[in-house]
Amino acid sequence: MEKFTVLDGLVAPLDRPNVDTDAIIPKQFLKSIKRSGFGPNLFDEWRYLDHGEPGMDNSKRPLNPNFVLNQPKYRGAQILLARENFGCGSSREHAPWALTDFGFRAIVAPSYADIFFNNSFKNGLLPVIMPAAVVDRLFLEAEATPGFRLTIDLPRQVVVIPGGQEFRFEVDAFRKHNMVEGLDEIGLTLKQSDAIRAFEDRHRAAQPWLFV
Amino acid sequence: MQPQTLYDKLWSSHVVSEDADGTALLYIDRHLVHEVTSPQAFEGLKLAGRRPWRIDSVVATADHNTPTRDWDQGIRDPISRTQVETLDANIREYGAKAYFPFLDARQGIVHVIGPEQGATLPGMTVVCGDSHTSTHGAFAALAFGIGTSEVEHVLATQTLNMKKAKSMLVRVDGSLRAGVTAKDVVLAVIGRIGTAGGTGCAIEFAGSVIRGLSMEGRMTLCNMAIEAGARAGMVAADDTTIEYVRGRNFAPKGDHWDRAVAYWRTLKSDEGATFDKTVVLNGGDIAPQVTWGTSPEMVGSVEGNVPDPARIEDPVKRASLERALHYMGLQPNTPITEIRIDKVFIGSCTNSRIEDLRAAATVVKGRQVAAGVKLAMVVPGSGLVKRQAESEGLDRVFRDAGFEWREPGCSMCLAMNDDRLEPGERCASTSNRNFEGRQGAGGRTHLVSPAMAAAAAIAGRFVDVRKIL
């Protein structure tokens, strides 16, 4: 996994609550057996005016000019500013894969759905939780200020707005460590193989029917 | 000892280790696998040169992409076919406790076949790369959906790193009125607490209404815990649980059975156990529910009206409501019973079990699908459910009424196969999500119970099933 330390990035505001993973990456693109290539179909139904299917040349499809990510001023955005309960719905990891493939490295929102939140950390996509009032303010500034950028400092757990004001955010220590170091979580867990085997022996003794 | 919740018991009996900040390594007993969220996990395993830790924890099937008719022609969409064949190849290479591939008589929706085979047992931790894994919590199991990275992690280590969730009790007291089902209960719960109401929580459903539900009903309930934001929903084990499991394919046998039952009887919250949050509903107050918007929380009684955004003060909520009504093509204040439908879908991991099909058939029997309904389809949850229904003559009831009787699979719940809504089409659906585009781009989904979907098929619009039973 790519390390995440300090990100200074352009902000794209997506002003709607309860953005679900079906909207982030529609089901027809989940047929892929790869982890990459989902970026062109991120928010497919909102981003294009026609209906997308796998295998289409997305560069030739008509874009919805009203959709935020199609506006030239947000080209190259690495931080998605979003509303509450972002990423609700299906467990599809294709959602963070599509966001990172598009170029996002972080999201700032008041809240996230649990599975999406978890999946994001596994893919070097940092979901920052900010109070709703701060998010409201960031929306106002992002929409009013061309080229609005934020600095997200994961080691220090702060979001820095232009002018230098800092907002602290909470992040689980284990997830933060893995992300800052870019660790392979499976390799890390396998260091506990002996403990897993010992647990398995106790578990088998207590509930042998689980191991038949 | 301090009284424990069911969730406390399930959690603590699976903790391998725990670090100072509370992140635990949790042991996983059952790993359900399907074709959509597993290929990248198997690929990752292979690229890292790792082997599965305990492959006999895996029960697999192909369900999301499989067609629901013309099985003799195979899977015609080449991309879908590749995904299903990739699962075939991965199971060939790594093995599994059981695999029910496309065309197998026992194939079906992963959350239907796990319980049906006795592969889901009380006291287990159950995971699957699918958010509706919460279904299995109906068996007093700790069951939750995971992403593909975690699928790979479980394959490689039989564990997951996670923090314990908060606990939430949803108690439904009293009793349900005739024609009101588990689906209506869970939609009413979501309507009350919202789609993020259970975020960060494991929900235990309890109370006299829940005790009175069959396992099928409890599965419907736990299935939609995720639509309330909770990764896990669960119900304490009782005689209903134990009788459902008894004699199933992978249920414990002989001496193991007696030991297992003795243990399972402990799988309930202790007297005096405390929850972080508690929500109480009165079963008698719950009417048949119909969603009118693009989120499961946008729901109400069939006796009600489409809400009016003009009455909402919060500008973000008002905009969200306006957007939903625009997408759904609905005018504010329209009575729900005046909403006409184009299609009917009875199926999905929420409502495709035998009891669901019986409930729908009871409404349909001797009646005809309304002329304005373009398609009414029944998609059984598994090959075994289909066969059971056919042995009871339910297929004839549906066919005689004008329904299509299909092969099992996820089908139009998420429309990954050919079963889908066309733009603007309106569907009475027994599935779990009414998101924009969920059942096909531009499609409009109204979530209802099987009996309500059947009643809508007959009337061509939503009707209160209690009035026609």
Side-chain angles (χ1 to χ4, degrees), chain B residues 24 73 139 149 294 312 335 413:
Chain B
Q73 292 175 40
F139 290 82
S149 293
T294 53
I312 309 281
C413 172

Side-chain angles (χ1 to χ4, degrees), chain A residues 16 27 93 118 172 192 200, chain B residues 27 149-150 163 323 437:
Chain A
R16 44 194 292 179
K27 81 283 274 149
E93 198 158 316
N118 203 34
D172 178 79
Q192 295 194 61
E200 215 163 37
Chain B
Y27 188 81
S149 293
E150 289 186 318
K163 272 194 167 163
R323 200 188 160 94

Side-chain angles (χ1 to χ4, degrees), chain B residues 213-252:
Chain B
L213 290 176
S214 65
M215 287 314 295
E216 285 87 347
R218 294 177 189 180
M219 283 189 257
T220 300
L221 194 68
C222 291
N223 172 276
M224 289 191 70
I226 184 67
E227 306 325 325
R231 276 178 94 172
M234 63 194 75
V235 175
D238 59 10
D239 289 344
T240 305
T241 324
I242 290 162
E243 289 314 310
Y244 182 96
V245 174
R246 187 192 296 275
R248 293 192 181 263
N249 194 17
F250 295 121

Side-chain angles (χ1 to χ4, degrees), chain B residues 340-398:
Chain B
R340 306 198 70 82
I341 53 158
D342 303 302
K343 288 184 175 172
V344 177
F345 171 60
I346 297 177
S348 87
C349 58
T350 313
N351 279 130
S352 64
R353 297 178 183 83
I354 188 67
E355 187 179 272
D356 300 316
L357 304 192
R358 286 177 189 145
T362 301
V363 173
V364 165
K365 195 173 174 88
R367 296 178 166 124
Q368 287 295 312
V369 170
V373 175
K374 290 185 241 177
L375 171 71
M377 64 196 287
V378 182
V379 182
S382 72
L384 296 184
V385 169
K386 181 168 187 255
R387 217 182 305 161
Q388 172 72 28
E390 288 170 353
S391 76
E392 298 177 16
L394 304 185
D395 58 322
R396 288 257 46 103
V397 171
F398 286 118

Side-chain angles (χ1 to χ4, degrees), chain B residues 251-305:
Chain B
K253 307 281 189 299
D255 173 49
H256 280 174
W257 172 258
D258 296 332
R259 282 179 67 186
V261 168
Y263 173 60
W264 296 345
R265 292 209 181 273
T266 69
L267 297 174
K268 56 185 178 187
S269 290
D270 296 331
E271 194 75 36
T274 55
F275 292 81
D276 296 308
K277 294 182 189 172
T278 298
V279 176
V280 180
L281 280 79
N282 179 14
D285 295 342
I286 300 172
Q289 303 282 301
V290 181
T291 66
W292 42 260
T294 53
S295 158
E297 71 184 13
M298 294 176 169
V299 66
S301 160
V302 66
E303 300 162 316
N305 298 333

